[in-house]
Amino acid sequence: MTSTLIRGRILSFTRPPTDIGDNGAYVYEEDGALLVENGLIVASGGYDAIRAEVTDDVVEIDHRPHLILPGLIDTHLHFPQMQVIGSYAANLLEWLNTYTFPEECRFVERAHADRIAGHFFDEMVRHGTTTAVAYCSVHKASADAFFTEALRRNMRMVAGKVMMDRNAPQGLLDTPEMGYDETRAVIREWHGKGRNHVAITPRFAITSTPEQMSAAQALALEFPDLHIQTHLSENRDEIDFTCSLYPEATDYTDIYARYGLMGKKTLLGHCIHLSEREMDAMSETGSVAVHCPTSNLFLGSGLFPLRKLMNREKPVRVSLATDIGGGTSYSMLRTLDEAYKIQQLQGERLNPFESFYFMTLGNARALSLEDRIGTLEVGTDADFIVLSMAATSAMALKAEVVRSLADELFLLQTMGDDRAVVETYVAGQAAKTTIGRLASEDGERGNIFLPLSPSRP
Ligand code: GUN
Ligand code: ZN
């Protein structure tokens, strides 16, 4: 059995930090180490103590002076939207109809889905994201492509074939029966294979008929342990249109509640404009409000009320996500930087320990996966990253005046991106520095001179 000893400054959270001085919320080792065997962390702590217990044939990798953290977790993004990023639109509905739906139609082709899946996982690893919760397209082929690549790379991923049967182009529609049957087939073929998790994924109430919502409900009853993901209360016009489609419901949240889709494994993207009643319903069911800051700013959707949701008498569980391709960066560092600014605009603070908690243990808890990911605890998956606060010349200059761990984290969050990720370990294997090798093996991804696509509708 090969053992690897990874040395560096290690940081892992144990609970949410209450304020910037709350050093009881994390474990930090200035000269720390992780011992990795068979994809798992088998020892975690001070370097000297761990080194004393291992034999001389252990492979040792020294990442000092860099920081070692659990792999970053992105709780909401769209795998078929890599080429939608940066599309010029006034708002959500225009953006969906003009760019996003036509682009997703291309995923009917398995070859296209395979190609984009390769790029998708490259970007995850490049940006230090070791677990992501993804929407595929409506086509089963897109889910097959996604999970095939996740399995090949041995990454812990959550994803679902989107269910949508109205208010979109014909090439993006299934039916209630197809949505049910194909989701069931994806669950049978992929759930629990490698580190794959399948999520039940009705896109949002606008694109699902009541019959399809009933099909999603049937799946949720049949597979109660699976995650459920959809969108909720992102944009005012979206809310009005949605409520007009379900006049019997009290409000947008009540639509999902009526179909039994709320619960501890339910991830609701955006949740910007919720009423107090809706927040109560979220809280009572343990559903998670997924904050997507770069997307909310890019699409002009609104300012997420993070503090209000977290601090009310009936608190709402919250997670953070990129929402590619409404979101504009794959980086969770960039994402938390924008989350910080959204709080600033509302007169609230988001301290750097809290931000790094969210990217790791906080998001793991939101997924109910904290026994596997989000910390550096013994027995968990060896998914972790190495960060450098001096990754660019501008960062290195600022790093000269960093005096504390809080300063360092804030610098990483404010100025960092994929360049700050020195290495990404997936199940104990260095994955970032091998991306080039994978690309040249595959041939195609090594070629940057791709032909321009023909113009699409
Ligand atoms: N609501 C329904 N589908 C989408 C999507 O693809 N992106 C965003 N941001 N919101 C949505
Ligand atoms: Zn989304």
Side-chain angles (χ1 to χ4, degrees), residues 76-78 81 135 231 234 269-270 292 323-324:
H76 178 127
L77 82 177
H78 297 257
Q81 294 179 14
Y135 288 65
H231 296 84
E234 177 175 3
H270 304 292
C292 307
D323 190 30
I324 292 296

Side-chain angles (χ1 to χ4, degrees), residues 237-280:
D237 291 339
E238 172 219 11
I239 297 167
D240 291 346
F241 186 28
T242 308
C243 292
S244 76
L245 294 171
Y246 289 89
E248 68 286 0
T250 310
D251 46 44
Y252 197 162
T253 303
D254 187 43
I255 299 170
Y256 296 133
R258 281 168 178 255
Y259 290 98
L261 297 176
M262 306 286 284
K264 291 185 175 53
K265 296 295 246 350
T266 299
L267 305 165
L268 295 153
H270 304 292
C271 298
I272 300 170
H273 308 287
L274 298 179
S275 66
E276 294 288 341
R277 196 215 72 79
E278 290 178 289
M279 292 183 202
D280 283 351

Side-chain angles (χ1 to χ4, degrees), residues 76 78 81 92 95-96 100-101 104 135 203-204 207 231-232 234 238 252 270 295-296 299 301 323-327:
H76 178 127
H78 297 257
Q81 294 179 14
L92 170 69
W95 175 84
L96 283 171
T100 309
F101 289 161
E104 291 194 12
Y135 288 65
R203 184 181 203 121
F204 65 160
T207 48
H231 296 84
L232 172 64
E234 177 175 3
E238 172 219 11
Y252 197 162
H270 304 292
S295 170
N296 296 166
L299 294 172
S301 302
D323 190 30
I324 292 296

Side-chain angles (χ1 to χ4, degrees), residues 8-13 25-29 67-70 353 356 360 374-376 405 409:
R9 297 162 50 237
I10 65 175
L11 174 65
S12 175
F13 289 87
Y26 57 86
V27 176
Y28 173 70
E29 289 280 354
L67 201 54
I68 300 176
L69 283 156
F353 287 109
F356 277 78
T360 55
T375 68
L376 299 175
L405 184 57
L409 296 181

Side-chain angles (χ1 to χ4, degrees), residues 106 185 193 302 325 338 408:
R106 300 171 74 200
K193 201 168 193 179
E338 298 303 294
E408 180 177 1

